Amino acid sequence: MAGDEAAAVGAWRHVRRPWLRALNIAVTLVLAVFWWNLYRPQLIGGPAAYAMVAGTSMESTLVDGDFVITRGHDSYHVGEVIAYRVPDGFERAGLRVIHRIIGGSAETGYITRGDNRAAADPWHPTSRDVIGSVALRIPYAGSVVGVLREPPVFAWFVGSIVLTSLWALDRRRRSEAIPA
């Protein structure tokens, strides 16, 4: 009888739930399509750019350490928070800035200002300088990303993932090797 119980427990351990696996695959595919269409990075032809907020110029809307995802559009309007590169010909050309549009147009250049500033920016980015408008803000996630970008922390993080994967693989191999 003890052998039958052990066989039943061993068989129970290997019961598969095909509907759960299909659901997992379906949800993963839906999320992948959603990300591909809305948040794929501009680097690979998508509409989104990713940035970490640094500084206090946009407080109370955005704070130092926030992570923002911007999406490119055909046009932008007054009141919209945009990310742009400082136009060529200015000191700090190429610097990325996240500020609110307070006037101007795509042709003449937008007038921008940080929410925590009294004066407008000295730069007037045109539509070719604009990276996109802020579509998603993840509070303080930029601080986490900043820490993960440090080489020792990144090495520890990747090493942890590799070791955990190897441990899980070894456990699976050992459980499959146990005779039923």
Side-chain angles (χ1 to χ4, degrees):
M1 194 61 131
D4 292 336
E5 288 177 16
V9 169
W12 177 255
R13 194 177 331 165
H14 295 288
V15 169
R16 307 260 190 246
R17 294 191 177 114
W19 63 270
L20 190 58
R21 185 171 185 188
L23 178 65
N24 187 9
I25 291 170
V27 168
T28 301
L29 285 173
V30 166
L31 289 175
V33 168
F34 177 78
W35 174 84
W36 183 260
N37 287 321
L38 297 178
Y39 296 110
R40 182 181 65 231
Q42 292 173 346
L43 181 66
I44 57 173
Y50 300 82
M52 293 182 291
V53 176
T56 60
S57 67
M58 282 301 291
E59 284 185 356
S60 63
T61 306
L62 301 170
V63 298
D64 190 30
D66 284 354
F67 185 77
V68 296
I69 300 175
T70 62
R71 295 197 59 230
H73 302 286
D74 294 334
S75 63
Y76 301 93
H77 57 82
V78 172
E80 203 166 12
V81 177
I82 61 168
Y84 66 90
R85 288 179 196 82
V86 173
D88 292 335
F90 287 95
E91 181 181 336
R92 304 174 112 188
L95 176 73
R96 291 181 180 200
V97 178
I98 302 173
H99 280 173
R100 188 177 304 278
I101 297 173
I102 60 170
S105 69
E107 296 80 32
T108 61
Y110 296 107
I111 301 170
T112 60
R113 179 181 70 207
D115 289 353
N116 196 26
R117 299 277 187 251
D121 296 338
W123 319 288
H124 296 269
T126 60
S127 58
R128 68 181 176 83
D129 300 313
V130 176
I131 299 166
S133 64
V134 174
L136 182 65
R137 169 187 171 247
I138 305 171
Y140 306 108
S143 298
V144 173
V145 171
V147 168
L148 287 175
R149 289 175 65 183
E150 296 294 324
V153 177
F154 182 74
W156 168 81
F157 185 68
V158 170
S160 297
I161 290 171
V162 168
L163 287 175
T164 302
S165 299
L166 290 173
W167 175 71
L169 183 65
D170 184 54
R171 278 190 67 201
R172 175 176 281 170
R173 199 171 335 135
R174 286 183 186 200
S175 69
E176 291 174 355
I178 296 173

